[in-house]
Amino acid sequence: METYGKYDVVVVGGGVSGCAAAIAAARTGAKTILIETLGILGGMLNVSGPPGWAFSHLWNERGEQIIAGFVEETHHRLEKEGHALPYPKPEDRNFNNAYSFVDPDWWGLLIFEMMRENNVELLMHSMAVEPVKKGNKVTGVIVENTSGRMAVMGKVIIEATGEGDIAVRSGGPFTKVDRTKEEIDPPSITFHMDGVDWDKVTAYMKANPDQYLGDAYGMTITPEQEALRKKRLDRFMKCKCITDLVKEGALGTIDFKALTQKALAAGDLHPYGDLGFFFTPRDGGHIQPIFQHSAQVKDCDATNVKELSAGEMEARRQVVIALNAAKKYLPGFENAYFTRLTSCMRTREGRHMIGDYQLTSDDVEAARKFPDVIAKCGMPTSTGGPFHSAAHPGSAMNIDPNRVFHRVGDNGSFDVPYRAMIPKKVEGMILTGKLVSVTEDFKRDLLPDNIAWGQAAGIAAALCAKKGITPREMEKDVKELQSILVKQGAILSGVH
């Protein structure tokens, strides 16, 4: 078999986490190649998204920034070029309602430029199909493309495929949600619209202020959060147009729950999502709505290709229904039109790889800190069912009363340890993105977090290649990894 090349670091998967990993590895001195099945980079930011996380959750409930690094670098570059909204003012920064939206398509262009700047070699239109192994150590991957079948060899392999295909075929253990006991968090497809009369949207919301604040979806609202909700509502009632708040980073989503129920009752909307949306900026400060919860596929296992294929068809059927319903029921959408559909569904669930450490809800509630921290996170976990749902008509979120949320202790953040990136039973590999080792309680499609984890994975891989050690051997001492992360802008300490 042909050997395509030999590298220090091989990154498999060109989503946001794989992109961050490849650039971080190259910046740390590694000869790096990034393998991607498609002809585009960016994953859930611009290929299957963007989700509402592009960008949000950069601050904890105390308003302390917990994610920066590569996330902040790309945001600030786009902001300087007019393709991202600025960070919210300090007094508006919190975990749930502070946003710094970026234009997803400009991010997709920027990431190619950053690959060029950092001398990352790209192998596009190539699917990694199996690992090359020596004992239990992965030494490369076999890819297939229009040129044939070939091996890409590397000192360290970064698994960033999202579904863990190479990690599993390397012998890495994993678990999955038991669909006989609880719902699988449904994959979804995202679409954009334009031509919205935002003055009409604003007038409707001011006449129906309960719709502006949205639903807590079963989460207990603390006194602090109730005070914040009141502050948000007062601010909205005084604003001229709702998009002013979007541009200030103080508003990221509207759910239109009452109108969703009206459309559903009339038979004009399918029962698997809602008519709520997030926002995205376009050139010149133009704002578009992004519908990411309006087409969700129920009971779809993203690791079963038959179900995944059927899901792509079903999601698009739902898009047509939701588009028509939005035009008919949402104020200001009478003359709105369809502008963009993501290339494929964004999968939320899948395989949960078992690493040398696996994060649990106990770690979240304790706001656990680890000596081998490589990133911080402020997202709560959920037991008794997923965050999203396609099983509750009229709601895209899980409103099952038996579901339990586990908040981050002390309104702070928990640490993600380096050990959670090292798969059990496999040497020579680092996990990143959705594959970082967590239990089924966790929401893993967090875009900024996936980028932060990728940055750490790339630096770690480069250091391992340079020192001639395995990623598992690095667990003994991660001080240099942490030092480089901090120099590259990551936040590892100094916050709750």
Side-chain angles (χ1 to χ4, degrees):
M1 182 187 304
E2 174 189 351
T3 297
Y4 182 84
K6 297 180 180 180
Y7 302 86
D8 296 325
V9 176
V10 176
V11 182
V12 187
V16 292
S17 200
C19 287
I23 290 171
R27 286 176 172 175
T28 312
K31 181 183 178 184
T32 305
I33 187 169
L34 173 60
I35 302 169
E36 168 54 37
T37 304
L38 303 175
I40 185 172
L41 300 174
M44 66 170 157
L45 202 154
N46 59 316
V47 180
S48 61
W53 323 120
F55 293 136
S56 67
H57 298 157
L58 307 186
W59 300 272
N60 62 21
E61 289 287 8
R62 293 170 172 265
E64 300 169 332
Q65 189 170 355
I66 56 175
I67 297 177
F70 194 74
V71 173
E72 186 163 273
E73 179 184 351
T74 58
H75 172 272
H76 286 359
R77 284 186 65 162
L78 290 174
E79 181 188 10
K80 185 177 180 180
E81 296 167 0
H83 305 308
L85 300 178
Y87 276 5
K89 295 177 181 178
E91 60 268 26
D92 292 331
R93 296 176 184 178
N94 59 76
F95 183 75
N96 284 310
N97 299 293
Y99 297 82
S100 300
F101 288 128
V102 301
D103 184 316
D105 297 312
W106 276 105
W107 195 97
L109 293 173
L110 172 64
I111 206 65
F112 274 98
E113 177 66 12
M114 295 181 76
M115 294 293 169
R116 185 191 62 79
E117 292 170 353
N118 292 280
N119 296 312
V120 175
E121 185 174 339
L122 299 179
L123 180 56
M124 309 294 285
H125 302 286
S126 299
M127 175 173 284
V129 295
E130 63 180 283
V132 179
K133 294 181 66 179
K134 185 175 182 179
N136 65 345
K137 183 178 181 180
V138 181
T139 58
V141 292
I142 296 173
V143 303
E144 294 182 350
N145 53 41
T146 190
S147 297
R149 185 176 173 92
M150 56 198 70
V152 183
M153 307 304 293
K155 296 177 182 177
V156 180
I157 310 302
I158 296 179
E159 226 290 15
T161 63
E163 307 308 335
D165 298 340
I166 298 302
V168 170
R169 292 166 194 172
S170 299
F174 65 94
T175 62
K176 289 169 60 176
V177 168
D178 185 347
R179 71 200 306 176
T180 67
K181 295 181 179 179
E182 65 179 65
E183 181 185 4
I184 298 173
D185 206 330
S188 64
I189 200 163
T190 299
F191 63 89
H192 293 203
M193 297 185 76
D194 209 337
V196 178
D197 185 336
W198 291 111
D199 290 335
K200 285 188 176 181
V201 176
T202 304
Y204 173 84
M205 285 296 173
K206 286 188 175 183
N208 301 272
D210 58 313
Q211 296 295 297
Y212 175 75
L213 289 176
D215 200 321
Y217 300 110
M219 293 186 71
T220 302
I221 299 175
T222 66
E224 294 83 4
Q225 289 172 330
E226 187 58 48
L228 179 61
R229 284 165 65 89
K230 184 179 185 303
K231 178 183 175 182
R232 289 179 57 224
L233 182 57
D234 290 344
R235 182 173 178 177
F236 167 65
M237 296 303 286
K238 296 174 183 177
C239 80
K240 181 179 179 181
C241 182
I242 201 166
T243 56
D244 294 339
L245 300 182
V246 177
K247 294 175 183 179
E248 293 170 6
L251 176 66
T253 181
I254 302 175
D255 68 13
F256 282 115
K257 186 175 181 178
L259 296 180
T260 294
Q261 293 291 344
K262 184 178 179 180
L264 184 66
D268 289 329
L269 183 65
H270 60 77
Y272 306 115
D274 61 28
L275 293 177
F277 54 79
F278 289 84
F279 303 92
T280 196
R282 294 301 197 183
D283 289 358
H286 188 67
I287 301 297
Q288 288 183 335
I290 311 173
F291 292 78
Q292 75 167 73
H293 294 156
S294 300
Q296 304 190 129
V297 181
K298 185 178 180 181
D299 196 32
C300 178
D301 181 354
T303 65
N304 182 314
V305 72
K306 186 174 183 178
E307 293 184 23
L308 195 60
S309 299
E312 295 286 3
M313 184 178 293
E314 168 61 16
R316 286 161 176 80
R317 182 189 73 86
Q318 293 180 20
V319 165
V320 174
I321 296 171
L323 277 165
N324 290 329
K327 288 174 63 66
K328 182 175 181 179
Y329 288 91
L330 300 188
F333 280 73
E334 297 85 355
N335 298 311
Y337 49 90
F338 174 45
T339 62
R340 183 179 187 266
L341 180 70
T342 54
S343 301
C344 58
M345 293 192 299
R346 180 167 63 91
T347 59
R348 297 180 175 119
E349 255 306 321
R351 301 181 180 105
H352 289 251
M353 301 305 301
I354 299 176
D356 285 349
Y357 189 91
Q358 189 170 41
L359 284 162
T360 69
S361 289
D362 288 342
D363 294 322
V364 173
E365 291 188 331
R368 193 92 65 203
K369 305 299 185 286
F370 298 97
D372 59 340
V373 54
I374 53 88
K376 291 186 172 291
C377 182
M379 177 61 72
T381 54
S382 171
T383 52
F387 280 77
H388 305 91
S389 175
H392 301 279
S395 175
M397 305 300 288
N398 189 352
I399 55 176
D400 187 333
N402 296 315
R403 184 182 60 154
V404 177
F405 276 105
H406 303 270
R407 294 181 181 277
V408 181
D410 204 25
N411 289 328
S413 62
F414 60 91
D415 286 355
V416 177
Y418 172 71
R419 288 163 292 152
M421 306 179 85
I422 310 304
K424 284 187 176 296
K425 300 183 179 182
V426 179
E427 298 294 342
M429 177 178 285
I430 298 178
L431 306 171
T432 191
K434 284 170 55 184
L435 303 176
V436 168
S437 185
V438 298
T439 63
E440 289 88 345
D441 305 352
F442 284 71
K443 181 171 180 55
R444 303 176 300 157
D445 60 328
L446 306 175
L447 192 147
D449 301 78
N450 274 247
I451 294 175
W453 303 338
Q455 184 175 8
I459 296 170
L463 290 175
C464 288
K466 180 180 179 180
K467 296 179 179 183
I469 62 175
T470 67
R472 179 164 283 108
E473 289 173 326
M474 182 176 277
E475 291 180 356
K476 300 172 184 176
D477 186 357
V478 297
K479 291 185 179 63
E480 187 175 4
L481 164 60
Q482 293 170 328
S483 175
I484 296 173
L485 272 169
V486 171
K487 288 178 182 177
Q488 292 188 5
I491 298 171
L492 304 183
S493 62
V495 296
H496 289 82

